[in-house]
Amino acid sequence: MDFPTIVFLLMDGVTMGAVYVLLAVALVMVFNVTRIIYVPQGEFVSYTALTLAGFDAGQRPATVWFLIGVGVLAFVLDLLSLRKSVSGFGRRLVSSALLYLILPLVLLLISGFVVGKEVNLVFKIAVSVTIVVALAPGLYRIAFKPIADASPLTLLVAAISLHFVLVGAGLRMFGPEGLRTPAFAGEPMQIGFLMITPQLLWVLGLTVVLIGGLYLFFERTLYGKALRASAISRKGAHLVGISTDLAGSLTLTIAAAIGAVSGVLIGPMTNMKFDSGFLLGLKGFVGAIIGGLAVYPLAAAGAVFIGVLEAFSSFWASAYKEVIVFTLIVPILIWRSVAQPQTEEEVAEE
Amino acid sequence: MKFKQLLIACAAVLGAVGARADINVGVIYSSTGPVSAAGLSMQRTIAILPKTLGGERVNYIGFDDGCDTSTTFKAVRKLVTEDKIDALLGPQCSANSLAIAGFMAQSETPMISMAGSAAIVEPVEGPKKWVFKTPQSETLMASIVVQHMAGAGVKTLGIIAFNDAYGEGWLKEMTKLAGTHNIKIVSVERYERNDSSTTGQVLKTLAANPDAVFIGAAGTPGVLPEAGLVERGYRGKIYQTHGIASEEFLKMGGKNVEGTFVPLAPVLVAEDLPDSHPAKKASLEFVSKYEAIPGAGARSPFAAYLWDGAVLLDAAAKVASKTAKPGTVEFRRALRDALERLKDVNATNGSYTMSPTNHNGLDDRGRVMTQIRNGKWKLAN
């Protein structure tokens, strides 16, 4: 194994690792705020890549229709539950209609405008990301809001069900074949023996920007602080007037946005299929486990490690690559359970 | 209630009468699930299958099994006991075909599978006496690959294959055949269908620097390692399996798969075949009919497997209908015996000659070596 090979593998590992970092951070965030182990996180990656590929092929992606279906269902659920409420009926109805009905319709119109025209790739990316992110509040409303106070196990089962629904819908919408999105513009740069593609720079750059943005959001904004408060104690946050519903919905939306950006980043590098997202999400999850589903920097480091480990094991023992990556979870779980005693909340729940 | 029962009785009588008059053929395909692209093309093909078999009118009863073994079983049980089929075309998936062979033999109903694995009809004994299949075996496809490599002066070979039964099957065939042609296998790498990067495998293969690389993959995931090799400046020959033969592969591969060698069923390059080729006439007829179906797109090798199944049934029914009436066990037995004695039946995949030891019947003319040129399959020189 010579030096250039090591550098190539490192570069490949860090690129994939950066995507896993995004997914791991999203998983840790969702778990902290809502206690959901967010299995469908990977689906937002594949949905975005495939939606973008649909635009690229000159078709209106079926994701828009799915969005409208999810929106209508969420709105009906809101109507049914609002019936019982006394105050603020009109205001809540309007905001619900805006989020679940008007926004999807606007996106439907915009996507109709994008299709069949020579539009900038950046615009197509923006529309695809928005469509996928707009799914998140509706999915939270349908799948998680009614059982937001249930045990983590119940929430996990709901998350797994949602994963199956999304994969099934994905097969229906995008078909069984894999698609690739167009590469980002720019010529590869030659530095010594290294070929650095603009794709690589985009992946690393955007990952850093997103992580920085999240940091600022959680440290500097009121909503961010409210989410942190919910993460520390749901009951306490509720007592001081933070809406746990809003916290949950907002968290899942941010997670969807992170997933969507990952989808844009990874789309040109590999062929995405309707079910490709799950495996990506799972590897992000291994990273998140390294961080104990709690510590962001540790989860991020773990995710990069997974990426690099994957690259090197595909070189040394390609037949056992997945085995190596997923077996890693066993010693980590042992280490974590020895190193970290149960937290108070976990004890209280038992 | 009485009236309803009466209606059901009437329907049953009518159904029985109908069954006696016509040949009933069950078709099991997988238009949902993991191989749905191929299954959809088969589903479409039912509409253009011959309206008579051996001069008798025929009803096709289609079922989608989603490539799921238990669904296949349910479907075939219904087809045999309720619809009283005389023969089955399908299933499309290998494991499912193997699973129902025993049931088909027990009910004495011949089946012609559209699945790839050679194990479905080899060796012909026990329940497999009732099983035939139209697609080429891996051995047949692998042999043309190795012959082509030897002819092109390839001495060292790198293999990158799926880490599952499909990749394993090809790896075995290639290892076996390469030895007899003095081709040395210098690297074997594996990857998953869902992998998003194959850099490690590509780098390792490049380090071994083989004269040619063989990629044992199916569908669009076959693009990934090939694109990696080409982007890193690999100059040798690249071979793929017939499992990648789809428009989506060509579209996604683009420039990166230009020049790739692919062993294919003759139907995909029907126009380029010499007039003497046994598959030419049948292929052109099939292609003109299939591509006329609205929304069907370009020809599919999988649709051609189903078509060939009907061609075989047609030839066998001509013989069987002389001795027995459709809908009876005698007819099914006669049909099986006739299938086994078919000789030189020209269809889209070549010329089928069955025997008591060979229930596939294709020979060396059953596949051709093609090369991707300008985003199209072309006969290789």
Side-chain angles (χ1 to χ4, degrees), chain A residues 73-101 141 145 245:
Chain A
L73 190 55
F75 182 70
V76 170
L77 284 175
D78 255 7
L79 263 188
L80 291 178
S81 66
L82 277 177
R83 230 178 19 172
K84 295 177 206 141
S85 67
V86 192
S87 63
F89 181 82
R91 193 179 53 82
R92 284 212 203 148
L93 193 67
V94 170
S95 66
S96 172
L98 270 180
L99 187 58
Y100 298 137
L101 297 180
R141 177 65 190 85
K145 193 183 166 193
D245 280 345

Side-chain angles (χ1 to χ4, degrees), chain B residues 50-85:
Chain B
K51 301 281 177 276
T52 61
L53 292 181
E56 309 271 344
R57 274 196 304 153
V58 55
N59 302 318
Y60 296 100
I61 307 152
F63 258 105
D64 166 31
D65 68 354
C67 203
D68 174 68
T69 318
S70 63
T71 317
T72 315
F73 234 99
K74 265 183 240 155
V76 80
R77 208 175 283 264
K78 186 187 168 298
L79 286 170
V80 167
T81 54
E82 289 178 31
D83 298 315
K84 308 256 183 281
I85 53 167

Side-chain angles (χ1 to χ4, degrees), chain B residues 223-234:
Chain B
V223 174
L224 197 58
E226 177 155 11
L229 286 167
V230 172
E231 277 161 12
R232 292 215 150 62
Y234 180 68

